[in-house]
């Protein structure tokens, strides 16, 4: 049997101001009918470029520098633009990452499906409609006939992704390129979508190229896998073999960085250098008297309570309701209950992991604690004293300093127009922790040292740093206020796994050194397992269960927690074969 | 739909009340109407009698209520300057301004939207760059300079088109239209182009940037990846999505054209509301000015209402609530 897809020695080049940039280099790949082949790698690995090259949709000014793309023995690079466009949909189709944005919001599902079907066949509207209904049913949409007339925004995220899959399927392609098809979805939905893809490959014999950064997804459904880094193939082969007995050091490092759901590591080991090497002048630039030890001593010198004397933060019966706009100047407003009588506590020097899917209210909880959102009922006690809620908490209230926060997206949490020195120095000035400019400089440089950044970083602006470096800066900014309580809201979910491992290591170290109490929010159970002493599970604004972490991961009490744990893709097959 | 429109209507009433209050205040506090109306030798008793007749001694609230009542019933009072009823004055001028505004809007849409699409899709090309640079010049030159230039070229040098007035108008009821006669239509061309140039550039650039944004969205990439015909991708998928924000701006601009066509009208001696407004300012004709203010506010409110309804029709996200879950 002929291979469905073969890539031979494929390279894609983007001309830039600084000379040509090779996005992918010498890629070889073969795919059979009904096979699911995973492309895995971190950002910048060139995964999506391979997808674009197969589709013939490499954005200008990029171009295929060399190599061959064959589909069923047909040379795709020999096709002219028109013939290639005819092929799209008919033979090759795509599934995009975010179902919120991959459907046209102004057209009904029916419009979009029928148009696509009729684009490639001579079917009448009625025939196309019948086919569309059948497809929606096949992809798992109930009451498909009635829902055809609806618009994309009327579907939930998971349902929308099913519509997207139906759209990719409706022309009966032989090959589907799925670019991070489940990254934007909650784990429960992710599981269902992956099963659907698996079934389509088996029943219809469609070949899938599955692009993902998530090794869990690779382990779960792919037959074969290619590991990419910096546009080059590190390793490829059968999934069980590559992930089970990784031959390349990069694959091993990548896998060591993945947090495991079934095992708590003290520290992530064997982490590759993913940041570019720094030049000597970059490293030798120092502020006089600044060092990590200085920062460490200074942070420990603050008046801080001892570990172990009871809960540092208690939340009792917290309700948060968000109101939409009033229909008009008067009239009742519709309230959305983001949190409903949530009670939990964080012990001093411990990490409480808060787990929840999107919409569970976990970020709202963080905002209520720092005083960004005003709860409608309930109370919060910090260090034994009730905490004023919302705007009642004065700017001068001690908790404003003692509770600090690290946000999810390091790209938007740092002010792009200020230097790192100003960003990290602001809490020092605001809380009066360092009076003179020289003191502040020394502290900023020292804290940067503490979070393993070169001191010279203080002279730069945020855009000059990568996501992981930015997150270190965000941690430094939180730390410099001498907090006792740190809230980390999904601090690593915007980062690659290797960077995630580094940031988690950093947080663990800081927590151990300074005895910080941390509220650690994440949707990723495996990450929480690595970090948390205790856990709390939220669902639709309600607390499902809370308790010590190890007991939770061994034997969760609530039905919902069990379900969550079961649905999280695990690398069980790998740890069985001696992972780490 | 009906609920939505009713809510918007109710909000509009509040806006109009606020504007009318402003107009009333202007009437009441800028100068003394009696002083303006009478001559120097009028006795104090006569002045008092006039004051009483005009109801100026009544409590302010009563006067405001009366003012509102007059506005609603179309009793706009008399101009200080011409002693004519203001209602008639405005009615005789309004068609000229509305027709001018309408034609210039039409010009700007008919040229601006296709030009915007073209420059968005061929953004690197020479033609697109030329259009962009040319219109940049167009937007940088003040309206009156463009008007004078057009008059010089087409009126004076070439002698093709009339340079002032409305030409022959045909009366349909009280509405005097330029559309019905050849000379009227010819008279419209230059002022409409002058007024429309700025609007045209704005529409084009807005359509262009919106269209470029939309072309970069996932749903367009997905449509291309499904092999949908490029014509459909551009016009059915992309254009409709770019029009949503464009409509708001065009609506507001149209209000602006009607309200502030003053410069163009005076360059071309166009007998519209802009000229009336200018004359009224010169003579501190407060009654005319306050009615003008209320009228312009009404035009803006109506246009906004139309824009909201268009939103409702175009964008299903405004119309239909998502289901839970």
């Amino acid at each position: 049997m002929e291979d469905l897809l073969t890539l031979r020695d494929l390279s894609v080049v983007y001309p830039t101001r600084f000379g040509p940039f090779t996005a992918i280099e010498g890629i070889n790949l073969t795919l059979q009918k009904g096979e699911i082949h995973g492309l895995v790698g971190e950002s910048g690995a060139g995964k999506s470029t391979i997808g674009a090259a197969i589709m013939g949709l490499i954005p200008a000014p990029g171009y295929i520098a060399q190599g061959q793309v064959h589909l069923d023995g047909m040379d795709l690079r020999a096709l002219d633009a028109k013939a290639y466009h005819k092929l799209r949909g008919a033979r090759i189709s795509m599934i995009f990452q975010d179902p919120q944005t991959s459907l046209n919001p102004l057209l009904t599902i029916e419009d979009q499906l029928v148009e696509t079907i009729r684009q490639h066949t001579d079917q009448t509207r009625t025939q196309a409609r019948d086919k569309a209904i059948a497809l929606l049913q096949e992809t798992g949409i109930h009451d498909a006939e009635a829902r055809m007339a609806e618009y994309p925004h009327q579907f939930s995220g998971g349902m929308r992704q099913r519509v997207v899959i139906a759209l990719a399927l409706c022309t009966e392609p032989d090959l589907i390129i799925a670019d991070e098809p489940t990254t934007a979805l909650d784990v429960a939905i992710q599981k269902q979508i992956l099963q659907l893809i698996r079934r389509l490959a088996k029943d219809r014999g469609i070949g899938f190229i599955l692009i993902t950064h998530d090794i869990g997804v690779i382990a779960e459904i792919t037959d074969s896998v290619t590991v990419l880094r910096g546009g080059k193939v590190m390793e490829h082969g059968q999934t069980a073999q590559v992930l089970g007995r990784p031959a390349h050091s990069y694959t091993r490092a990548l896998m060591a960085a993945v947090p495991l759901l079934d095992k708590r590591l003290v520290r992530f080991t064997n982490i590759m250098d993913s940041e570019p090497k720094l030049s000597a002048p970059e490293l030798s630039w120092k502020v006089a008297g600044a060092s990590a030890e200085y920062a460490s001593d200074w942070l420990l010198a603050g008046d801080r309570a001892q570990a172990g004397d009871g809960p540092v933060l208690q939340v009792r019966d917290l309700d948060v309701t968000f109101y939409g706009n009033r229909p008009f100047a008067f009239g009742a407003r519709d309230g959305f209950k983001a949190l409903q009588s949530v009670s939990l506590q964080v012990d001093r020097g411990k990490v409480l992991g808060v787990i929840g899917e999107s919409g569970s209210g976990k970020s709202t909880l963080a905002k209520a604690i720092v005083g960004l959102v005003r709860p409608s009922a309930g109370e919060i006690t910090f260090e034994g004293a009730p905490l004023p809620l919302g705007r009642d908490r004065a700017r001068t209230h001690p908790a404003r300093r003692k509770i600090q926060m690290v946000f999810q997206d390091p790209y938007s949490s740092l002010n792009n127009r200020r230097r790192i020195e100003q960003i990290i120095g602001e809490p020092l000035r605001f809380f009066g922790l360092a009076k003179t400019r020289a003191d502040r400089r020394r502290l900023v440089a020292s804290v940067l040292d503490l979070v393993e950044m070169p001191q010279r970083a203080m002279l730069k602006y945020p855009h000059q740093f990568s996501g992981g470096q930015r997150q270190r800066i965000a941690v430094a900014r939180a730390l410099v206020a001498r907090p006792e309580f740190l809230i980390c809201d999904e601090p690593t979910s915007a980062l690659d796994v290797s960077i995630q491992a580094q940031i988690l290591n950093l947080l663990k170290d800081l927590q151990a050194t300074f005895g910080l109490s941390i509220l650690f929010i994440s949707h990723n159970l495996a990450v929480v397992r690595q970090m948390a002493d205790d856990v709390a599970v939220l669902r639709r604004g309600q607390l499902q269960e809370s308790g010590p972490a190890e007991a939770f991961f061994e034997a969760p009490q609530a039905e919902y927690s069990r379900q969550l744990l079961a649905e999280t893709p695990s690398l069980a097959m790998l740890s069985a074969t001696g992972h780490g | 739909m009906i609920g939505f429109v009713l809510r918007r209507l109710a909000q509009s009433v509040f806006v109009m009340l606020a504007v009318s209050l402003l107009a009333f205040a202007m009437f009441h506090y800028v100068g003394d109407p009696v002083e303006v109306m009478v001559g120097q030798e009028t006795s104090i008793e006569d002045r008092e009698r006039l004051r009483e007749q005009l109801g100026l001694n009544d409590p302010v609230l009563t006067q405001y209520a009366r003012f509102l009542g007059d506005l609603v019933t179309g009793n706009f009072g008399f101009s200080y300057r011409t002693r004519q009823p203001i209602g008639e004055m405005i009615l005789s001028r309004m068609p000229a301004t509305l027709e001018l505004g309408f034609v210039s809007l039409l010009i700007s849409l008919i040229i601006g939207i296709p030009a915007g699409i073209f420059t968005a899709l061929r953004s690197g090309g020479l033609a697109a760059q030329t259009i962009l640079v040319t219109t940049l010049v167009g937007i940088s030159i003040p309206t009156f300079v463009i008007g004078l230039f057009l008059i010089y070229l087409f009126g004076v040098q070439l002698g093709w088109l009339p340079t002032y007035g409305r030409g022959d108008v045909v009366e349909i009821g009280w509405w005097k239209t330029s559309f019905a006669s050849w000379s009227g239509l010819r008279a419209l061309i230059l002022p409409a182009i002058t007024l429309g140039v700025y609007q045209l550039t704005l529409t084009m650039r807005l359509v262009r940037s919106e269209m470029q944004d939309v072309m970069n969205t996932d749903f367009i990439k997905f449509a291309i990846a499904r092999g949908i015909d490029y014509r459909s991708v551009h016009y059915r998928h992309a254009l409709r999505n770019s029009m949503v924000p464009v409509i708001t701006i065009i609506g507001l601009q149209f209000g602006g054209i009607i309200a502030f066509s003053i410069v163009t009208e005076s360059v071309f001696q166009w007998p519209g509301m802009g000229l009336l407004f200018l004359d009224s300012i010169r003579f501190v004709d407060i009654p005319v000015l306050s009615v003008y203010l209320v009228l312009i506010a009404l035009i803006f409110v109506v246009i906004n209402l139309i824009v909201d309804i268009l939103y409702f029709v175009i964008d299903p996200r405004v119309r239909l609530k998502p289901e839970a879950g």
Side-chain angles (χ1 to χ4, degrees), chain B residues 34 49 168 199 285:
Chain B
V34 173
R49 212 178 55 243
D168 299 331
Q199 172 94 350
D285 201 344

Side-chain angles (χ1 to χ4, degrees), chain B residues 121-132:
Chain B
L121 297 180
R122 302 267 163 84
S123 60
L126 185 69
Q129 289 301 319
T130 314
I131 293 177
L132 284 176

Side-chain angles (χ1 to χ4, degrees), chain A residues 434-450:
Chain A
K435 298 282 182 252
T436 68
R437 185 154 183 270
D439 280 356
R440 281 202 295 274
R441 264 184 98 82
R442 188 173 172 200
L443 275 171
V444 169
S446 304
V447 167
L448 280 170
D449 226 349
L450 190 70

Side-chain angles (χ1 to χ4, degrees), chain A residues 72-143:
Chain A
D72 256 346
M74 173 173 44
D75 183 3
L76 296 189
R77 286 194 66 197
L79 297 175
D80 63 15
K82 223 172 175 170
Y84 216 132
H85 195 60
K86 276 217 158 69
L87 202 80
R88 286 178 205 129
R91 305 286 316 268
I92 322 169
S93 203
M94 265 191 102
I95 300 170
F96 282 72
Q97 172 173 354
D98 188 356
Q100 310 287 341
T101 59
S102 48
L103 295 170
N104 188 336
L106 301 189
L107 295 178
T108 61
I109 303 305
E110 175 173 353
D111 286 339
Q112 304 190 39
L113 275 162
V114 168
E115 181 184 21
T116 312
I117 294 170
R118 281 166 52 98
Q119 180 75 49
H120 295 283
T121 55
D122 296 330
Q123 301 188 23
T124 63
R125 274 205 83 82
T126 334
Q127 285 171 326
R129 208 183 114 83
D130 292 343
K131 182 169 182 187
I133 293 172
L135 266 169
L136 288 178
Q137 279 161 350
E138 186 181 346
T139 51
I141 288 175
H142 304 294
D143 206 6

